[in-house]
Amino acid sequence: MTEGLLPTDEPIQLIDPAGSRTVTTTFDLPDRETLTALYRAMVSGRRFDAQVTALTRQGRLAVYPSSRGQEACQTGTALALRPQDWLFPTYRDSVAVVTRGIDPMDVLVSFRGDWHCGYDPRQHRTAPQCTPLATNTLHAVGLAHAARLKNEDTVAVVLLGDGATSEGDTHEALNFAAVWKAPVVFVVQNNGYAISVPLHRQTAAPSLAHKGIGYGIRSFRVDGNDAAAVYATVSAAVSAAAAGAGPVLIEAVTYRMEAHTNADDATRYRQDDEVAHWLERDPLRRLATFLGLKGSEFDDEAELLAADVRTRAGTDASPSPESLFEHVYAERPVMLERQMVDALDLPAGGRSGVEGLEEDGRGTR
């Protein structure tokens, strides 16, 4: 009954940290065009991440969770999606959203404190970046189940962290998806820490991928710093889910090189030698070495992206004060209408045409 459900003991790897081909029979190595696209996306993603981190330190963003070190997970997942599939990212997955083709400045809207997510989720088939832990797993399963009921060829891929696997929402999402064979792929980016809580303090399972068998979900454990392996595994999972095989759980073993956010001090809970170990497993360097690239082939393109973000983020928006009162009620209450009159400093009678208001803007009810 458990045949094919358990992950391998060692993470799936197609290219080792030194940039050499790993002998494996699990998945085929993607072709060179795909590998080059993965590397190009990682170069842009890392430069974007560095630029946004700098802007946050300058006070241009309220908060930003860096994903430096996790580029292979995010680009490998985003590029494995088909045009009709949906992505459900978390707050740390800005590089995945940029890789999906969304304007980088639109990705940063919520981090700048604006009131919306910055892009049209339906247009890009990408849900708003989710801040509450694990709630996006339920959103993904709901969309996938609905797509199945409507006979649509759509797969939902949800990104979550290791900390999110300890949330009840994740349990409910995995169980529902398995029972109803929802076409959804769960990609857990296990970066070792839930903010400052190390993995061994939140689970006693052999691995996060092993949790899949409890739900009857086929699971894989993959080297999350090997973009080729991530892409191949997610691609296979999407194909299987689309073919009606039900959900797939993938644990991508990786590492967060920076602090949890700009408000965190990672030196309080991890050692320098641990960080140095993972620096040697850099996802960009290993793929550049395998492809025989110098490592600077796409730097100019990435710098143009960073310069554009820098320029536009340095320009303050001029929102209309009236926008404070929009999209709150279908029919604005009189009291809110009165507050708007006061806030906009309208002349007496300026809103006299509004039902329920007297000429001086006072409410009559």
Side-chain angles (χ1 to χ4, degrees):
M1 294 180 63
T2 62
E3 185 178 0
L5 295 180
L6 283 170
T8 53
D9 291 336
E10 294 297 322
I12 297 167
Q13 186 182 78
L14 300 180
I15 300 173
D16 69 20
S20 298
R21 178 77 166 94
T22 301
V23 177
T24 178
T25 57
T26 307
F27 296 112
D28 294 333
L29 184 72
D31 59 32
R32 185 176 180 85
E33 181 180 359
T34 300
L35 293 176
T36 303
L38 287 165
Y39 179 71
R40 181 181 182 182
M42 287 198 294
V43 170
S44 292
R46 179 163 293 186
R47 185 65 188 91
F48 168 80
D49 188 87
Q51 182 59 67
V52 176
T53 298
L55 289 168
T56 306
R57 290 170 178 161
Q58 295 165 13
R60 286 292 175 183
L61 279 75
V63 66
Y64 180 70
S66 170
S67 61
R68 181 182 166 225
Q70 298 181 215
E71 295 90 348
C73 295
Q74 300 199 14
T75 61
T77 297
L79 291 180
L81 269 63
R82 306 168 302 167
Q84 69 266 39
D85 296 330
W86 271 78
L87 178 67
F88 288 79
T90 74
Y91 56 87
R92 196 179 300 287
D93 302 320
S94 296
V95 169
V97 180
V98 171
T99 303
R100 191 80 165 134
I102 296 174
D103 187 322
M105 281 306 298
D106 289 344
V107 176
L108 299 179
V109 165
S110 60
F111 297 118
R112 299 184 74 186
D114 212 328
W115 55 269
H116 55 79
C117 82
Y119 52 85
D120 183 345
R122 290 183 182 275
Q123 177 187 352
H124 298 286
R125 302 182 85 78
T126 301
Q129 289 179 262
C130 184
T131 299
L133 282 186
T135 54
N136 59 336
T137 59
L138 296 168
H139 304 160
V141 171
L143 184 138
H145 184 55
R148 179 172 172 272
L149 292 176
K150 292 188 287 187
N151 292 319
E152 294 178 353
D153 180 19
T154 300
V155 173
V157 177
V158 55
L159 292 165
L160 61 156
D162 45 283
T165 63
S166 297
E167 296 287 330
D169 287 0
T170 302
H171 159 71
E172 294 166 16
L174 288 166
N175 193 57
F176 187 98
V179 170
W180 293 96
K181 290 191 175 300
V184 57
V185 178
F186 299 84
V187 180
V188 180
Q189 295 179 81
N190 173 12
N191 64 22
Y193 292 91
I195 304 183
S196 60
V197 179
L199 185 66
H200 71 272
R201 290 293 186 191
Q202 61 168 313
T203 181
S207 76
L208 298 177
H210 277 81
K211 293 188 175 185
I213 192 171
Y215 302 97
I217 293 179
R218 189 176 189 188
S219 304
F220 296 94
R221 196 163 182 247
V222 61
D223 182 340
N225 282 20
D226 179 0
V230 173
Y231 176 86
T233 306
V234 176
S235 294
V238 168
S239 296
V248 179
L249 172 63
I250 298 171
E251 177 190 2
V253 183
T254 184
Y255 194 75
R256 162 170 53 83
M257 299 308 305
E258 303 293 340
H260 176 67
T261 69
N262 54 298
D264 175 42
D265 179 5
T267 63
R268 300 185 65 179
Y269 55 83
R270 65 186 192 186
Q271 304 299 314
D272 290 344
D273 57 349
E274 179 181 296
V275 178
H277 168 76
W278 281 95
L279 281 171
E280 292 300 316
R281 304 176 67 82
D282 182 75
L284 277 73
R285 186 168 58 243
R286 83 163 69 178
L287 188 50
T289 301
F290 179 80
L291 291 170
L293 301 176
K294 297 177 181 177
S296 58
E297 281 77 1
F298 300 108
D299 282 359
D300 290 346
E301 180 180 274
E303 191 54 44
L304 285 175
L305 182 152
D308 179 56
V309 169
R310 191 165 57 243
T311 299
R312 290 198 281 164
T315 303
D316 291 327
S318 300
S320 166
E322 194 166 3
S323 65
L324 282 170
F325 302 90
E326 296 174 343
H327 311 302
V328 179
Y329 291 94
E331 294 183 12
R332 192 176 296 136
V334 171
M335 290 303 295
L336 190 60
E337 190 77 14
R338 181 179 178 184
Q339 290 177 24
M340 186 176 74
V341 168
D342 292 340
L344 300 180
D345 196 24
L346 294 175
R351 302 288 297 188
S352 59
V354 177
E355 182 182 356
L357 289 183
E358 296 178 345
E359 288 189 355
D360 64 355
R362 295 178 183 276
T364 58
R365 291 187 293 228

